[in-house]
Amino acid sequence: MRYGIISDIHGNLEAFDAVLEALEQEDIEVYLCLGDIVGYGANPNECLGRVWELTSEVIAGNHDHAAVGKLDIISFNHMAAEAALWTMQHLTRTARHYLRELPLTRRHGHILAVHGAPTQPDKWPYLITLDQVAVEFPALPDDTTLCVVGHTHTPGIFEMNDAEEVCRHIHGYTYQMQSDCRYIVNVGSVGQPRDGDSRAAFCVYDTETYLLEIKRTTYDIESAQKKICRAGLPDMLAERLAYGQ
Ligand code: ZN
């Protein structure tokens, strides 16, 4: 089975369309979407429409909850809060209903999908350091060999060898997974990468070859930026796209 896994689209239609086009070449059978479909970008409804057409395997992110009043934006920084309010005002009724109904986690075969962290799917902690990731492994259900996450907008592959009790951060973004290990993989962000690479990120996972790839694709950043500025969203949200921060 070939999985296409995407996260943190954040209303960036240009990035999302480029990712969808790239995924068309990948013989994907199942698409998983890890949340934060909206927030920051100027096309929340359009991105939601694309996700709805693409797959029913979708979970909610903190920005999806904020946009429908399920999460208090007091926990957001000024820019994120402003974007959440803008999104709240611009979502269609159908979009609001759709976001409200999304679950926080999803299982597909031996894969667990969660936006932030498996121990606290409703608290949205950031998994950044190796130590933070390592404590998540015991929380995974026994038959879960791969947990896919988003939220930090920074891609990364973490491997747990249970027999040796060793957790490590894999260097690089193409990895031949080992059958005796378990993994937590951050698939990066489609619409607002923050790892210094402005290209949109997505993940392809093949259960037969056990190959996991986090890929990147360029997109029309300038158009996405212009839309953000024209919409009256903070200019900084447009500027950061160019730097991947
Ligand atoms: Zn996000």
Side-chain angles (χ1 to χ4, degrees):
M1 179 94 74
R2 279 177 74 75
Y3 286 91
I5 310 163
I6 51 175
S7 190
D8 297 273
I9 298 162
H10 281 294
N12 185 337
L13 189 63
E14 284 70 24
F16 192 19
D17 277 345
V19 165
L20 289 174
E21 202 182 314
L23 280 165
E24 266 172 32
Q25 321 299 319
E26 298 282 354
D27 292 323
I28 300 299
E29 292 159 278
V30 178
Y31 285 94
L32 305 178
C33 176
L34 310 184
D36 276 8
I37 302 165
V38 305
Y40 296 135
N43 289 113
N45 294 307
E46 293 79 359
C47 288
L48 263 174
R50 298 274 204 283
V51 171
W52 190 82
E53 277 172 26
L54 187 70
T55 179
S56 57
E57 301 291 332
V58 186
I59 57 172
N62 52 323
H63 285 260
D64 303 321
H65 272 198
V68 293
K70 282 179 90 171
L71 176 69
D72 195 332
I73 58 169
I74 204 140
S75 60
F76 280 20
N77 66 43
H78 178 70
M79 216 164 43
E82 209 176 308
L85 287 173
W86 182 94
T87 305
M88 219 180 259
Q89 288 158 4
H90 287 82
L91 282 180
T92 64
R93 250 178 74 150
T94 315
R96 267 199 291 273
H97 178 76
Y98 175 89
L99 289 177
R100 230 176 252 132
E101 299 301 314
L102 291 177
L104 290 171
T105 65
R106 234 175 223 289
R107 301 289 309 275
H108 203 279
H110 61 277
I111 304 174
L112 174 70
V114 55
H115 184 69
T119 49
Q120 298 172 296
D122 58 337
K123 298 280 189 297
W124 329 102
Y126 285 103
L127 300 184
I128 298 164
T129 67
L130 184 60
D131 287 347
Q132 286 168 332
V133 176
V135 297
E136 297 293 326
F137 278 99
L140 298 182
D142 279 347
D143 55 346
T144 297
T145 52
L146 171 63
C147 173
V148 284
V149 302
H151 195 39
T152 66
H153 300 204
T154 302
I157 302 171
F158 297 89
E159 180 181 76
M160 172 62 98
N161 185 321
D162 290 298
E164 294 173 12
E165 291 180 13
V166 175
C167 182
R168 63 191 187 111
H169 185 184
I170 304 294
H171 285 287
Y173 300 110
T174 298
Y175 189 62
Q176 184 66 54
M177 293 161 72
Q178 311 297 310
S179 58
D180 57 348
C181 292
R182 295 187 296 160
Y183 295 85
I184 292 178
V185 173
N186 191 314
V187 302
S189 169
V190 170
Q192 194 198 77
R194 293 180 194 160
D195 61 338
D197 183 340
S198 62
R199 295 173 300 164
F202 60 100
C203 177
V204 176
Y205 170 52
D206 190 316
T207 57
E208 260 159 52
T209 60
Y210 233 44
L211 188 71
L212 189 131
E213 298 167 278
I214 297 169
K215 300 190 160 197
R216 307 299 283 249
T217 184
T218 55
Y219 72 95
D220 185 354
I221 292 178
E222 218 172 292
S223 290
Q225 288 175 315
K226 277 186 190 150
K227 283 189 195 170
I228 286 172
C229 297
R230 243 185 277 137
L233 283 155
D235 286 352
M236 181 60 194
L237 292 175
E239 287 161 23
R240 67 189 299 175
L241 295 180
Y243 308 112
Q245 288 296 345

